[in-house]
Amino acid sequence: MAAKITKRTVDAAKPGDRDHFLWDTDPKGFGLKVTPAGNKVYVLQYRMGGRESLARRFTIGKHGSPWTPDTAREEARRLLADVGKGID
């Protein structure tokens, strides 16, 4: 599922039998992971080296102070800028 991640979508996300992800539309690769225990964690999924390389997932942080959807999204943009420069 891809939609803009907001406080409302984070609060509405319910745990399931296993981890599931809500992906944001911008920036690409930014998302929310919801664990079976109900933890909500912001993540960034990216590739170093193009499509042929393996996808990597970086944990930005757990939902709650200081991580809101907006602060986590800005951190994802900062991290993607680093990835674009070849910094892993």
Side-chain angles (χ1 to χ4, degrees), residues 5 10 20-22 30-35 38-44 58-64 67 72:
I5 295 175
V10 172
H20 70 276
F21 295 87
L22 302 173
F30 171 63
L32 177 76
K33 176 173 90 170
V34 182
T35 69
N39 293 319
K40 298 172 183 179
V41 180
Y42 297 104
V43 297
L44 177 66
F58 179 83
T59 300
I60 295 171
K62 188 174 179 179
H63 176 69
W67 299 113

Side-chain angles (χ1 to χ4, degrees), residues 5-49:
I5 295 175
T6 64
K7 183 173 181 335
R8 178 177 279 175
T9 58
V10 172
D11 291 342
K14 302 293 181 210
D17 295 346
R18 55 186 164 176
D19 291 351
H20 70 276
F21 295 87
L22 302 173
W23 297 106
D24 200 275
T25 53
D26 182 49
K28 188 171 172 86
F30 171 63
L32 177 76
K33 176 173 90 170
V34 182
T35 69
N39 293 319
K40 298 172 183 179
V41 180
Y42 297 104
V43 297
L44 177 66
Q45 185 166 296
Y46 63 97
R47 293 176 190 267
M48 293 290 294

Side-chain angles (χ1 to χ4, degrees), residues 69-83:
D70 292 333
T71 58
R73 185 177 291 107
E74 287 306 311
E75 180 67 5
R77 286 187 177 117
R78 187 190 69 74
L79 292 167
L80 285 171
D82 287 347
V83 169

